[in-house]
Amino acid sequence: MSSDPFNARSTLETSAGTYTWYRLAALEEAGLGKVSELPYVVRLILEAALRNVDGFKITQDHVRLLAAWTEADQGQAEIPYQVARVILQDFTGVPAVVDLAALRSAMERMGGDPARINPQVPADLVIDHSVQVDHFGSDDALAANAVREFERNAERYEFLRWGQQAFEDFRVVPPASGIVHQVNLEYLADVVMTKDGVAFPDTLVGTDSHTTMINGLGVLGWGVGGIEAEAALLGQPIYMLLPKVVGVELTGTLPTGCTATDLVLTVVELLRNHGVVGKLVEFYGPGLQNLSLPDRATLANMAPEYGATTGFFPVDDETLAYMRQTGRSDATLELAEAYLRAQGMFHTADSPTPRYSEYASLDMGTVVPSISGPKRPQDRIDLPAAKAAFFKTCTETYGAYSGEPVAASPAARADSFPGYTAEVTLGGQSHRLTHGAIGFAAITSCTNTSNPSVLIGAGLLAQKARALGLQVKPWVKTSLAPGSKAVTRYLDTAGVMPALEALGFHIVGYGCTTCIGNSGPAIPQVIEAVEDQGLVLTSVLSGNRNFEGRISPHARANYLASPPLVVAFALAGTLDIDLDVEPLGTSTDGRPVYLRDIWPTAEEIRTAMTASVKREDFEQEYGGIYESNAAWNDIQSSGGAIYGWNAASTYVQEPPFFMGMDVDEPAIQPIRGARVLALLADSVTTDHISPAGAIPGDSPTATYLRDNNVDRRDWNSYGSRRGNHEVMMRGTFGNIRLKNQLAPGTEGGWTTYLPTGEVTSIYDASMRYQDAGTDLVVLAGSEYGTGSSRDWAAKGTFLLGVKAVIATSYERIHRSNLVFMGVLPLQFKEGESAPALGFDGLESFDIDFGETVEPFEEVTVTATHPTGLVTTFGAIARVDSPVEVRYWRNGGILHTVLRDMVRQDLASK
């Protein structure tokens, strides 16, 4: 318990008992700042500091800094943030558990007590990213995909079963339960938690960038890299700069025919233009009362897409109503309301508007039906303009055709330009496919499967389409992946599942599927058309990510859309259509059917929701969630405190991060003669850097798996093998769409090995450089590392021997992850960049340091070209706090924690 230097400790009476809590008002009474005017997110961070102040990790000065929250300190001063819990998913969570197991092994080698390596805050891991859409469009798709999931992931699941029994305060939600963020929203989050008689707000970080979804419930949380989450698990505060908070005022209400998906795509565009990277977003205004909690969760979910750390909604009556509907206990609701009202953090229509750093606004009445694509969530397109936008994409991005009028139909263009068509035979019938043909139509992703209005809307649209005799085009691979089993219950109750299944939208699994790249292969004849005829295949999904190469290696253009629009586009079979004026198909009596003919009304959706979404469905599905999967319960675990690493495993291996570590902190060493491993342009995402999706047959990873006698059908995906560094380092920078300017004319994980000028894989070049003792650097443009919070984007970079990245600018999570792995992020000064300085990647680099490095210090970099040209420039060391400097010096955050624990343990003996 805190020493309570601010006399803030008080008691709260509830029907369940008396709790201790820490009054924020005590700080305002002491004259430390107008705490009641602070944004809700700042108050939550302040409460954690006030409650945990210990004079060392969290000091009184930190509390004073947060209570004042002055403009001069925002974005400059460092603060610690102690979260209440951590949430993991299996792709990013497995390597976190692997690292914890490796820390135990290292602790034992270094003479310490391995049992000290244990979560210090509660942790939940939800297995939701491992299911792939191998089977679809049939009644047995769910069961068949589940069988393949367990076949592929037996080693990983055995390891997680070991972790479940080995670590304290660590729970595992079994496969086929739901998507992590929806399970968190519907079940795991309590809004207010208790421990040892103390009540406090539920706050968290998670190893997935869409952890932000929980902010729709008034729970502050965001995504971090696995290594940062591991530090939080081990009781370390998350160190961050005092945040700027952008207040986004919502007014009005959504027009008829618009969905929460249209709203969030509009907000993504708005806030990307405003500029919210590295900032917290908090929504306020009269429009809040017009948004259901699932609508709020949709907006909160896509905070990474608009670039913010969070998109927060304060707790109000709508929050409590949702908690009640999803099965939270009366005691949980009572405590949440009593605590937040006492703390002055329960929002009502009369609550004053907080003081924000910046302001933005949106009249929701201006929102129009939208999609986003072809490769970024922020590239929103008004639905009527989708056809023209796709024509422009085909012309300018893919060079697929030129000169045809936009208004021409795909069939007319195919007649005029034979190269614009591909003939495929499906079900004994021949079909002419044109650019824009949809290969994947997926109702998937936490963004929308948490929202009954859009899911029931999709089902009602399917009902109307079937009544008119419409059918999905045979070349479209359809899938429905609900975010929880409660979704299936209310879709069944609403009576829309038969229509969805009649259109091929059978349930394929309960987890994150197409959105994460687990779409499985396209229909074979379609793949042939793509590979042989150069067809520009598209996908449409109700997800949050559509980056290049993410959905499928064969889908070149990918579009985000609401679930009803996913069904509509599947009926049309193409993106090359204006849904306002062109029909989706023909009815059984020969009439053209337009989107307006089958779009459900708001009243129809509201009536179906009222009749079908029931509290008892959530209670029944979550009541036995930990025991519900018999296949999971049958897995045998090795047991014991130390994991028995299996050298033959291709899924789980002890990483080399802590091998040969010394207890003492190493001295800072200059970087000399470093070669460029990759020269990259702007907007390189973590999808480009970190391995994800299918494993290409010509990749270094494929060679490794073949050498280890793994059959092709059992290769699984990169995400499923994140617990094996041998796989992940071979796939780093291996994305099929990566363009390394050091290997011009190539796409994928290629580079030029500079001593010989040979074009080879980035992995093979790295191994040759490391064998020769040559350090490596990466040169990059702006927004380096945007996208998912993938720790392997930093871990793989480290294992490839990269000592520093020099970029024009960074996305928040990836920059910190580089520091946490001991890789130095350097930033070009304003107006400078690799192209501006004339670098072509053939240079060698020297980077000089003093005995120490200060946050944001300018360091000297010298680039020497083979021609003899020497360029010296200053770069900013993006280690943004003294704590980050310490992490970098130690070789990473886990190295720092391990050394501290070993020293403490040895000193106590």
Side-chain angles (χ1 to χ4, degrees), residues 307-385:
T309 303
T310 64
F312 186 82
F313 290 84
V315 174
D316 61 7
D317 285 332
E318 170 65 17
T319 315
L320 298 180
Y322 178 83
M323 292 174 68
R324 185 173 293 107
Q325 183 182 56
T326 50
R328 269 73 169 202
S329 69
D330 291 342
T332 298
L333 269 71
E334 180 193 357
L335 177 60
E337 182 173 7
Y339 174 88
L340 292 170
R341 287 190 183 278
Q343 198 65 281
M345 292 172 62
F346 190 88
H347 184 265
T348 67
D350 298 327
S351 295
T353 299
R355 168 173 54 93
Y356 294 114
S357 313
E358 302 170 17
Y359 295 83
S361 63
L362 175 68
D363 176 0
M364 295 187 291
T366 64
V367 172
V368 298
S370 306
I371 63 173
S372 283
K375 57 184 178 180
R376 296 194 309 177
Q378 62 263 42
D379 295 333
R380 190 192 62 81
I381 306 165
D382 290 356
L383 186 61

Side-chain angles (χ1 to χ4, degrees), residues 364-629:
M364 295 187 291
T366 64
V367 172
V368 298
S370 306
I371 63 173
S372 283
K375 57 184 178 180
R376 296 194 309 177
Q378 62 263 42
D379 295 333
R380 190 192 62 81
I381 306 165
D382 290 356
L383 186 61
K387 179 174 182 173
F390 180 73
F391 176 87
K392 183 177 180 181
T393 293
C394 268
T395 303
E396 298 180 0
T397 303
Y398 304 121
Y401 57 84
S402 61
E404 299 100 311
V406 175
S409 70
R413 283 203 289 270
D415 289 337
S416 301
F417 295 83
Y420 181 60
T421 186
E423 297 290 337
V424 300
T425 300
L426 297 162
Q429 293 185 328
S430 179
H431 301 272
R432 175 188 285 181
L433 303 189
T434 60
H435 294 312
I438 294 173
F440 301 88
I443 301 174
T444 181
S445 163
C446 47
T447 306
N448 289 298
T449 60
S450 63
N451 197 324
S453 66
V454 291
L455 286 171
I456 289 177
L460 293 173
L461 185 144
Q463 275 188 338
K464 291 171 180 274
R466 286 299 299 142
L468 292 172
L470 296 189
Q471 188 55 269
V472 166
K473 298 300 185 288
W475 55 84
V476 181
K477 181 174 182 177
T478 49
S479 60
L480 168 60
S484 74
K485 290 185 176 179
V487 173
T488 303
R489 283 181 176 264
Y490 67 66
L491 290 178
D492 280 335
T493 303
V496 297
M497 275 307 300
L500 286 166
E501 291 175 347
L503 295 181
F505 287 94
H506 296 74
I507 293 175
V508 295
Y510 293 93
C512 188
T513 54
T514 304
C515 196
I516 194 61
N518 285 356
S519 56
I523 293 169
Q525 297 91 325
V526 176
I527 294 175
E528 185 177 351
V530 171
E531 295 178 343
D532 294 347
Q533 304 296 323
L535 187 73
V536 178
L537 192 69
T538 66
S539 74
V540 58
L541 63 149
S542 63
N544 43 43
R545 291 282 163 83
N546 57 339
F547 299 135
E548 285 184 296
R550 182 183 182 97
I551 306 305
S552 165
H554 295 105
R556 298 177 69 183
N558 305 287
Y559 294 86
L560 306 181
S562 67
L565 282 180
V566 170
V567 178
F569 275 112
L571 294 168
T574 181
L575 255 296
D576 194 359
I577 185 173
D578 182 345
L579 293 179
D580 264 10
V581 298
E582 295 181 68
L584 298 170
T586 304
S587 67
T588 50
D589 59 4
R591 292 184 297 108
V593 178
Y594 297 89
L595 179 61
R596 59 182 174 270
D597 298 328
I598 61 172
W599 193 267
T601 66
E603 182 59 31
E604 286 173 329
I605 294 173
R606 187 162 43 249
T607 299
M609 285 176 57
T610 302
S612 59
V613 182
K614 304 293 186 182
R615 173 186 172 98
E616 51 264 31
D617 290 340
F618 294 91
E619 291 176 328
Q620 290 175 22
E621 288 300 344
Y622 286 113
I625 190 169
Y626 296 104
E627 299 81 29
S628 61
N629 192 313

